[in-house]
Amino acid sequence: MSSLPSLSDPPTPPSHSTHLFYPQSPFQAEKSPMPNTLREEMNIHCFLAFNPRKGSLPALDYDITRPPTFLLNTQIALSEFHEAATEPPLPTLYITYPTLISPISVFAGNVGYVTISDIFHAIYHAFLLPTTTDEYKN
């Protein structure tokens, strides 16, 4: 017998009541530069979505110049930080915005699905990269 763990499917994220996820946006999004192979509706976790209760403020107030761990225990608990970012959970997603030069790729960590932590770490690391002169001029 081997002492190594056997390979199996990724763990299933904890189930939560539906209030943690906002429904799909009613606004028409611009066509994504990435191919869309997902055929079902996807909802985003409330910590990552626009918060209608705070007006135009986001659910979390995150300064991208600081590591995402600065959010812990001030705005989000560690257990929430590791919740699935989407419903259904996705292994990969891409963050797009009109002024971004290219989408920010977010890949699942060791749990097999993208978490809130994965999202904030991808954003943080994407903005640590220096901008080239050509990128700045365009």
Side-chain angles (χ1 to χ4, degrees):
M1 252 168 65
S2 171
S3 61
L4 297 174
S6 64
L7 296 176
S8 63
D9 291 331
T12 302
S15 61
H16 299 286
S17 59
T18 56
H19 74 276
L20 288 178
F21 294 91
Y22 285 111
Q24 197 168 25
S25 172
F27 300 102
Q28 185 168 346
E30 292 182 22
K31 189 169 182 164
S32 172
M34 296 297 179
N36 184 3
T37 57
L38 187 63
R39 298 282 183 228
E40 58 187 281
E41 184 176 311
M42 185 272 302
N43 296 308
I44 193 156
H45 195 286
C46 65
F47 281 135
L48 301 170
F50 168 76
N51 185 350
R53 291 189 181 133
K54 290 187 175 182
S56 63
L57 297 176
L60 295 175
D61 185 18
Y62 175 54
D63 177 355
I64 63 171
T65 65
R66 303 183 86 177
T69 51
F70 277 82
L71 292 169
L72 291 174
N73 300 320
T74 58
Q75 298 186 58
I76 189 170
L78 182 61
S79 60
E80 294 168 323
F81 206 49
H82 295 291
E83 290 179 358
T86 60
E87 179 61 42
L90 300 173
T92 307
L93 59 85
Y94 303 93
I95 300 170
T96 61
Y97 192 76
T99 57
L100 282 177
I101 294 164
S102 62
I104 298 172
S105 302
V106 185
F107 300 101
N110 58 1
V111 295
Y113 54 87
V114 174
T115 65
I116 295 171
S117 173
D118 295 328
I119 298 277
F120 283 110
H121 280 91
I123 292 169
Y124 174 70
H125 289 286
F127 285 100
L128 283 179
L129 299 173
T131 303
T132 66
T133 304
D134 289 340
E135 290 171 336
Y136 185 77
K137 287 180 181 178
N138 292 327

